[in-house]
C-alpha cells in the first residue's frame, strides 16, 4: 500500500501544486501511520492464531515462547489483584505408551488428551505444548484458589479413559501451579518452569497436584550444584564403596555384602548419600555413577577371589538404569574384564522403582536373572505391592524395609506385617533379608519368625574393603565365606 501510494503521490503532487518536500513529508507521515496500524494489529493478536510458526502441529496449541510472551504481557500490566496463574500438566504416558504400542498410538492419545484439556479450561485460557505429553496453560486474571478449582476439573476429565484405536487407555496426569506476579518480570518463561517443577514434584510424591513454593528455589539450585560436583567427583576419584555384611540368621555366617557409595568431598568432607543419591537417580548422571559402582564392585570381587574370599556383592540400581540401560552394559563389561562370575552380583531395586514402568522393568529383570545375576526387591513394604504384581517380578528375594524392622519388637502390627511378608516371600520361593537390625532382641525375634538373613549396625556397619576383610576373617563360621 505504501509503495502504491508513493507512486500516485509522486505523479499527482505537482498537479496539485505541492512541492517535492511537502510530498515527501506526506509519504513519511502516511508510512508511519500504516506501520502503526500494522503494529497495533500484531499486538492485538498476541495469543491468537497468527500462523503455523506459533502453533504445535500435533496438538494445535501455541509454542512455549508464544505463551511466555503472553505471561510477560500480563505481568507488565501491574494489576492490583493476581495477574493470573500457569498450570502445568504432566500426562506421564507418552514414553511408556510409545514403547508398548508405538508412536502413532501415542501421538493419537496426545491429540485426544489435548482436545479434552482444551475443553476443560476457561475460554480465555491459552495452552502450550512443552514436550511429548507435557503442557502449560496460561490462566489470565485467575487467583491460585480458582486455579486449584481448574486443576480439579481438568483432573476429573483427563482421568476418564480415552478410546484410542478401539482400546480404552487411562492416564494419570499430574498438575503444577505457579502464580504470575503482578509486576514486570525479566524472564516470563520462568513461571512456566516453576509450574513444570511443581508438576514434576507432584508426580514424584504421587500427589495429584502441587503449588510451586519460591522458598524451595535455593534447594533446587543446590541440586544442580550437587550434580556438577558429583560429575567432577567421579572424574577426580572422590567416591568409594563401603560394604555392609548380610548374615544367615541360622548359622551367623556372612552370605554377602551390600555396596554403599561414599563421597569424601575435598571441601565439604563427608557428604551423606541422602544428599546426592536421590538427585543422581533422576538424571542421566545415573549412568556414569552406576558404571563407577559396577567397575569398583567387579574389581573388588576379583581381588577377594584372589585371596580365597567368595562374597557376593549387592549393588543398587534405579528405574532409569533398567528402562534406559544406563550403566548395565558397563556392569557386564566389568565382570568380563575381571573374570568374575555373574552369580556374585546381586541387583537391588526398590519396590517403588519396579512399578515406575512395570512391563519394561520386569522384562529387564528377567533378562538379568537369565544372565546369572540375583534379583532382590529392596525396601519391601514401602511401595505399592499387590499379590497380582509381586508374583510376576522375577526376584530371588526381598529386603524388608528398616522402618518395619526397627519398631518390630515394640509394635505388634509391624511384627504382623513382617511375619506376613516373610510368609508371602517363602510361598513364592523367595529368601528374605531384614535390614536395619540394631539390637540382639530384634535379631532373635527374626530368627523366631523364620527370617532368612539380616543386615544392620548390630551386625556390622558399612566398612571399607580392607576393614571388611578383617571382619570376615574374624567370623567363626568361616566356611560360609570361603571359596
Amino acid at each position: 500500500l505504501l509503495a502504491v501510494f508513493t507512486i500516485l503521490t509522486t505523479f499527482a503532487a505537482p498537479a496539485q501544486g505541492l512541492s517535492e518536500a511537502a510530498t515527501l513529508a506526506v509519504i513519511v507521515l502516511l508510512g508511519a501511520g500504516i506501520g502503526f496500524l500494522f503494529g497495533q494489529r500484531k499486538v492485538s493478536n498476541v495469543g491468537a492464531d497468527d500462523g503455523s510458526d506459533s502453533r504445535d502441529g500435533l496438538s494445535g496449541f501455541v509454542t512455549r515462547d508464544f505463551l511466555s510472551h503472553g505471561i510477560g504481557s500480563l505481568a507488565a500490566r501491574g494489576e492490583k489483584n493476581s495477574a493470573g496463574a500457569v498450570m502445568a500438566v504432566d500426562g506421564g504416558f507418552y514414553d511408556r505408551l510409545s514403547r508398548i504400542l508405538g508412536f502413532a498410538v501415542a501421538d493419537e492419545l496426545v491429540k485426544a488428551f489435548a482436545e479434552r484439556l482444551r475443553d476443560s479450561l476457561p475460554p480465555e485460557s491459552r495452552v502450550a505444548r512443552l514436550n511429548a505429553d507435557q503442557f502449560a496453560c496460561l490462566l489470565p486474571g485467575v487467583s491460585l484458589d480458582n486455579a486449584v478449582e481448574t486443576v480439579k476439573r481438568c483432573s476429573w476429565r483427563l482421568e476418564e479413559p480415552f478410546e484410542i484405536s478401539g482400546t480404552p487407555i487411562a492416564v494419570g496426569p499430574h498438575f503444577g501451579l505457579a502464580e504470575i506476579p503482578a509486576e514486570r518480570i525479566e524472564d516470563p518463561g520462568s513461571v512456566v518452569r516453576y509450574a513444570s517443577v511443581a508438576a514434576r514434584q507432584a508426580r514424584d510424591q504421587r500427589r495429584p497436584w502441587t503449588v510451586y513454593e519460591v522458598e524451595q528455589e535455593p534447594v533446587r539450585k543446590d541440586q544442580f550444584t550437587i550434580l556438577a560436583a558429583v560429575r567432577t567427583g567421579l572424574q577426580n576419584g572422590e567416591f568409594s564403596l563401603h560394604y555392609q555384611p548380610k548374615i544367615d540368621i541360622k548359622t551367623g555366617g556372612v552370605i554377602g555384602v551390600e555396596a554403599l557409595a561414599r563421597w569424601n568431598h575435598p571441601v565439604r568432607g563427608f557428604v551423606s548419600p541422602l544428599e546426592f543419591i536421590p538427585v543422581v537417580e533422576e538424571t542421566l548422571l545415573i549412568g556414569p555413577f552406576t558404571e563407577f559402582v559396577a567397575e569398583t564392585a567387579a574389581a573388588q570381587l576379583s581381588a577377594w577371589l584372589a585371596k580365597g574370599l567368595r562374597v557376593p556383592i549387592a549393588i543398587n540400581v534405579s528405574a532409569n538404569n533398567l528402562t534406559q540401560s544406563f550403566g548395565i552394559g558397563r556392569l557386564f563389561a566389568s565382570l568380563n574384564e575381571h573374570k568374575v562370575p555373574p552369580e556374585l552380583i546381586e541387583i537391588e531395586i526398590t519396590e517403588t522403582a519396579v512399578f515406575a514402568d512395570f512391563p519394561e522393568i520386569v522384562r529387564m529383570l528377567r533378562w538379568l536373572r537369565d544372565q546369572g545375576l540375583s534379583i532382590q526387591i529392596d525396601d519391601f513394604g514401602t511401595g505399592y505391592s499387590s499379590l497380582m504384581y509381586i508374583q510376576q517380578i522375577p526376584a530371588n528375594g526381598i529386603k524388608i524395609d528398616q522402618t518395619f524392622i526397627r519398631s518390630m519388637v515394640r509394635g505388634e502390627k509391624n511384627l504382623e506385617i513382617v511375619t506376613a511378608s516373610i510368609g508371602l516371600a517363602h510361598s513364592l520361593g523367595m529368601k528374605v533379608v531384614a535390614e536395619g537390625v540394631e539390637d540382639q532382641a530384634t535379631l532373635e525375634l527374626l530368627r523366631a519368625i523364620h527370617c532368612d538373613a539380616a543386615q544392620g549396625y548390630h551386625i556390622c556397619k558399612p566398612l571399607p574393603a580392607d576393614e571388611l576383610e578383617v571382619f570376615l576373617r574374624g567370623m567363626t563360621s568361616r566356611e560360609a565365606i570361603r571359596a
Side-chain angles (χ1 to χ4, degrees):
L1 290 177
L2 180 60
V4 172
F5 183 80
T6 301
I7 295 173
L8 293 176
T9 305
T10 301
F11 286 99
Q16 300 296 327
L18 294 175
S19 65
E20 291 185 1
T23 301
L24 180 60
V26 171
I27 293 173
V28 171
L29 289 173
L30 184 62
I34 294 174
F36 175 77
L37 290 176
F38 273 97
Q40 287 296 99
R41 179 178 182 273
K42 183 175 182 180
V43 171
S44 67
N45 280 338
V46 170
D49 188 357
D50 67 344
S52 60
D53 289 343
S54 65
R55 295 280 166 176
D56 169 62
L58 191 60
S59 66
F61 292 151
V62 300
T63 61
R64 180 198 299 261
D65 291 341
F66 207 70
L67 193 75
S68 297
H69 187 277
I71 294 171
S73 299
L74 286 175
R77 292 176 186 174
E79 300 285 350
K80 292 182 179 180
N81 297 323
S82 173
V86 172
M87 178 183 76
V89 186
D90 186 344
F93 61 81
Y94 195 88
D95 286 345
R96 181 170 52 183
L97 192 63
S98 61
R99 286 197 300 268
I100 298 173
L101 298 179
F103 290 104
V105 174
D107 287 347
E108 192 66 26
L109 182 54
V110 168
K111 293 179 182 179
F113 189 91
E115 182 177 353
R116 192 180 293 179
L117 174 62
R118 181 190 296 110
D119 294 341
S120 305
L121 293 169
E124 65 275 12
S125 304
R126 289 291 168 190
V127 189
R129 184 183 178 214
L130 307 180
N131 210 328
D133 57 1
Q134 297 176 352
F135 305 86
C137 312
L138 173 58
L139 308 174
V142 173
S143 67
L144 274 180
D145 288 341
N146 290 334
V148 168
E149 294 304 314
T150 301
V151 166
K152 293 178 180 178
R153 182 171 60 253
C154 291
S155 177
W156 179 74
R157 290 290 310 280
L158 293 172
E159 287 179 354
E160 296 177 6
F162 293 85
E163 191 78 17
I164 306 296
S165 301
T167 302
I169 299 176
V171 300
H174 298 276
F175 300 83
L177 287 173
E179 189 173 23
I180 301 174
E183 57 189 19
R184 185 180 298 276
I185 49 179
E186 295 296 328
D187 179 18
S190 63
V191 185
V192 178
R193 180 173 66 84
Y194 296 157
S196 298
V197 167
R200 176 65 181 271
Q201 184 179 9
R203 187 184 69 182
D204 293 343
Q205 296 177 354
R206 299 186 181 274
R207 298 168 59 186
W209 56 272
T210 61
V211 176
Y212 179 83
E213 298 178 2
V214 69
E215 292 81 5
Q216 296 185 5
E217 186 65 12
V219 176
R220 296 187 180 98
K221 289 181 178 178
D222 187 53
Q223 291 176 346
F224 288 102
T225 303
I226 289 176
L227 285 175
V230 168
R231 187 178 297 277
T232 301
L234 288 172
Q235 296 170 350
N236 296 340
E238 297 171 11
F239 287 88
S240 63
L241 292 185
H242 284 199
Y243 304 91
Q244 187 172 36
K246 294 181 286 187
I247 64 167
D248 184 308
I249 291 181
K250 290 182 178 179
T251 67
V254 175
I255 59 173
V257 296
E258 179 182 0
L260 300 168
R262 294 292 181 262
W263 185 10
N264 186 19
H265 191 273
V267 177
R268 298 177 59 184
F270 174 77
V271 181
S272 169
L274 295 177
E275 290 189 45
F276 65 88
I277 292 295
V279 180
V280 169
E281 285 184 336
E282 294 184 0
T283 67
L284 296 180
L285 196 57
I286 190 61
F289 191 85
T290 303
E291 290 179 357
F292 154 75
V293 174
E295 168 63 26
T296 306
Q300 189 59 63
L301 282 170
S302 179
W304 281 340
L305 286 172
K307 296 178 181 180
L309 297 174
R310 188 180 178 90
V311 189
I313 294 180
I315 65 174
N316 294 277
V317 300
S318 71
N320 283 333
N321 283 132
L322 298 183
T323 56
Q324 306 295 333
S325 298
F326 292 149
I328 296 299
R330 184 57 199 167
L331 170 60
F332 286 97
S334 298
L335 292 176
N336 290 331
E337 290 171 10
H338 295 285
K339 298 180 174 56
V340 173
E343 59 265 24
L344 290 183
I345 287 288
E346 296 178 353
I347 296 293
E348 291 191 7
I349 182 168
T350 64
E351 182 183 356
T352 302
V354 171
F355 287 91
D357 188 350
F358 190 79
E360 178 65 16
I361 290 179
V362 166
R363 184 187 68 81
M364 279 296 299
L365 291 176
R366 188 172 291 114
W367 181 81
L368 289 170
R369 197 172 76 164
D370 290 343
Q371 307 309 307
L373 280 67
S374 176
I375 308 298
Q376 307 290 323
I377 303 175
D378 198 9
D379 296 343
F380 186 83
T382 61
Y384 300 86
S385 306
S386 77
L387 294 177
M388 181 176 68
Y389 288 113
I390 288 296
Q391 64 180 350
Q392 297 179 41
I393 302 175
N396 301 89
I398 64 172
K399 293 183 71 176
I400 301 179
D401 188 70
Q402 57 187 339
T403 56
F404 298 103
I405 301 301
R406 287 177 176 173
S407 57
M408 186 178 61
V409 175
R410 302 187 308 273
E412 182 178 343
K413 289 185 178 180
N414 282 337
L415 175 58
E416 292 176 352
I417 291 172
V418 173
T419 303
S421 298
I422 293 172
L424 170 64
H426 286 170
S427 69
L428 296 174
M430 300 179 185
K431 297 292 186 180
V432 181
V433 178
E435 57 181 351
V437 177
E438 296 187 343
D439 52 61
Q440 186 64 28
T442 301
L443 188 60
E444 294 297 334
L445 187 54
L446 287 168
R447 181 180 290 112
I449 59 177
H450 308 294
C451 185
D452 301 294
Q455 175 183 348
Y457 272 65
H458 176 67
I459 298 162
C460 183
K461 68 177 183 179
L463 298 171
D466 55 347
E467 294 182 25
L468 181 69
E469 290 181 25
V470 175
F471 174 83
L472 294 177
R473 297 189 184 282
M475 297 290 290
T476 54
S477 302
R478 295 188 179 183
E479 65 275 8
I481 61 172
R482 304 294 292 188

